[in-house]
Amino acid sequence: MNPTDAATALPEVANAAAHADMSMLGLFLMADWVVKSVMISLVLASLVCWAIIVEKSLLLSRLGREVRKLVGAAAPGSQAAPQAPQGEGLAARVLRAGTREWRDGREDGESRFEYRHRMEHAMRHALSGELRKVEPGLPFLATTGAVAPFIGLFGTVWGIMNSFSNIAQSNDTSLAVVAPGIAEALFATAIGLVAAIPAVMAYNRLLVRLGRLRQDGQSAAADLASSLSRRPPVLAASHANRAAAAE
């Protein structure tokens, strides 16, 4: 390119850069296909994270109500019904598991401690099975929170490399020429942070809530087992009578 053509081209490049669309949509449309792929993947990851956050928050709220019922049933002075409770909630499942062992009664040579431990183990097993339903999806939040900033940074590095390449081709280092390319590159990092920050905060929050529910539920199961172990298994006699009659 001769000096005359370069002098003519430079104002055109500067004018195009000055009128570049700096909105989020404009930055996306101006981006290279690699940077666009990074942006799209981060946006999709963010949408999946928000879906997981909403779903797990609702599930933990429901389980929280069930654990409070369980804690209420284990409270001192509470008359926990010896009949197996109806329903499919966490509290009903845990209480059914405990009353099933309670009705079987103590086996020959079984101490009261072993009897209580058997009931507590059954209730803890039922509790853990329900709480494990919260865990799927949480690793995706942790992974997104850890990886998304680096994926965005990769898009930024790639975009800045393209900007420097354009600077070398235009022989113009003015801010008007450099700004659009750098802006679209930094936009990838911004999207990565937008995806990562809520994911990390939600993961920590959900994990703390899950841990508290598990701790409260296990404490309630221990109290219920201790309370039931002091009661005579009134149905054990009827089981024995039916077994004797069958013989």
Side-chain angles (χ1 to χ4, degrees):
M1 180 182 293
N2 57 52
T4 304
D5 294 337
T8 305
L10 289 178
E12 294 178 356
V13 173
N15 184 60
H19 292 84
D21 185 2
M22 302 297 286
S23 65
M24 289 188 292
L25 179 60
L27 292 175
F28 172 78
L29 295 176
M30 288 189 302
D32 171 81
W33 67 271
V34 174
V35 182
K36 283 182 180 178
S37 300
V38 169
M39 292 179 180
I40 292 173
S41 62
L42 289 173
V43 169
L44 291 177
S46 180
L47 292 176
V48 173
C49 286
W50 278 109
I52 293 173
I53 292 169
V54 172
E55 190 264 335
K56 299 305 177 186
S57 297
L58 294 176
L59 180 57
L60 283 173
S61 297
R62 179 173 61 81
L63 291 177
R65 292 191 293 268
E66 293 292 327
V67 169
R68 284 193 291 272
K69 291 180 184 178
L70 198 60
V71 172
S78 174
Q79 298 297 323
Q83 300 296 329
Q86 302 298 318
E88 295 300 324
L90 179 144
R93 290 176 183 270
V94 172
L95 289 172
R96 274 200 299 270
T99 53
R100 184 166 53 246
E101 297 295 331
W102 173 75
R103 288 179 182 182
D104 289 342
R106 290 170 61 176
E107 299 177 356
D108 294 337
E110 185 180 35
S111 66
R112 179 173 172 270
F113 172 78
E114 293 172 335
Y115 180 45
R116 184 186 67 185
H117 177 73
R118 177 156 53 89
M119 288 187 290
E120 182 179 348
H121 176 75
M123 287 188 282
R124 282 175 177 254
H125 181 72
L127 176 69
S128 298
E130 291 296 314
L131 293 182
R132 274 196 297 268
K133 296 178 181 178
V134 184
E135 295 177 358
L138 294 182
F140 185 83
L141 293 179
T143 302
T144 301
V147 173
F150 295 101
I151 296 177
L153 184 60
F154 167 74
T156 297
V157 172
W158 188 273
I160 290 177
M161 287 170 56
N162 288 334
S163 296
F164 282 125
S165 176
N166 294 333
I167 291 171
Q169 292 177 3
S170 64
N171 294 321
D172 187 0
T173 58
S174 65
L175 186 60
V177 175
V178 177
I182 294 180
E184 72 185 41
L186 294 176
F187 186 45
T189 296
I191 297 177
L193 294 176
V194 168
I197 293 173
V200 171
M201 295 178 65
Y203 174 77
N204 292 331
R205 176 61 178 166
L206 293 174
L207 210 61
V208 168
R209 290 180 64 184
L210 180 60
R212 288 176 179 172
L213 290 180
R214 181 177 284 110
Q215 183 178 4
D216 292 343
Q218 290 177 350
S219 297
D223 293 340
L224 281 168
S226 178
S227 175
L228 288 174
S229 66
R230 298 189 186 97
R231 301 186 184 188
V234 293
L235 297 182
S238 62
H239 291 327
N241 292 335
R242 285 199 297 269
E247 295 176 356

